[in-house]
Amino acid sequence: MSLVAFADDVKIDKENCTITKDGKTYPLYGEVKVVEAGSADLTVKVVNGGSCDLEVKVINNGTASSCGEWKMITSGTCDFTVRFVESGSADIEIKFIENGTSGIYR
């Protein structure tokens, strides 16, 4: 199993494309809801250059079933919630891509 530990309470499992935070495991693909204020399942920092933990491809149609595919939703049940931060610590750093294969890169 390839686990990458970040903080004491955050671990990424590359084989299963999941992230575990505070004892709860979330897929790094699926339907994602953005939380503007308050608590979210994951705190995410978007980077443009250099290395990142996950390359994310946003899909608009169909099911987000491959590692790093996110379908952004505004209502209904989601796989996990995210809150974007520009500075400070984050649970995961991502880069949005339009082409190529999404996935974990650490």
Side-chain angles (χ1 to χ4, degrees), residues 24-27 29-35 39-42 64 70-83:
K24 287 190 73 178
T25 301
Y26 306 97
Y29 57 90
E31 294 187 339
V32 181
K33 196 180 297 183
V34 177
V35 175
S39 65
D41 296 324
L42 301 174
W70 290 11
K71 185 172 188 177
M72 308 304 252
I73 63 169
T74 56
S75 62
T77 305
C78 62
D79 294 300
F80 59 98
T81 58
V82 299
R83 184 170 52 84

Side-chain angles (χ1 to χ4, degrees), residues 9-26:
D9 62 343
V10 178
K11 293 179 179 48
I12 292 180
D13 180 342
K14 290 176 98 169
E15 290 177 13
N16 295 309
C17 193
T18 59
I19 185 168
T20 301
K21 177 184 174 188
D22 298 328
K24 287 190 73 178
T25 301
Y26 306 97

Side-chain angles (χ1 to χ4, degrees), residues 21-87:
K21 177 184 174 188
D22 298 328
K24 287 190 73 178
T25 301
Y26 306 97
L28 287 173
Y29 57 90
E31 294 187 339
V32 181
K33 196 180 297 183
V34 177
V35 175
E36 297 291 333
S39 65
D41 296 324
L42 301 174
T43 305
V44 177
K45 186 185 294 184
V46 178
V47 297
N48 292 319
S51 64
C52 66
D53 304 314
L54 179 71
E55 288 191 345
V56 173
K57 186 182 293 184
V58 175
I59 65 165
N60 297 315
N61 301 312
T63 304
S65 56
S66 295
C67 189
E69 286 185 348
W70 290 11
K71 185 172 188 177
M72 308 304 252
I73 63 169
T74 56
S75 62
T77 305
C78 62
D79 294 300
F80 59 98
T81 58
V82 299
R83 184 170 52 84
F84 291 108
V85 296
E86 293 184 16
S87 60

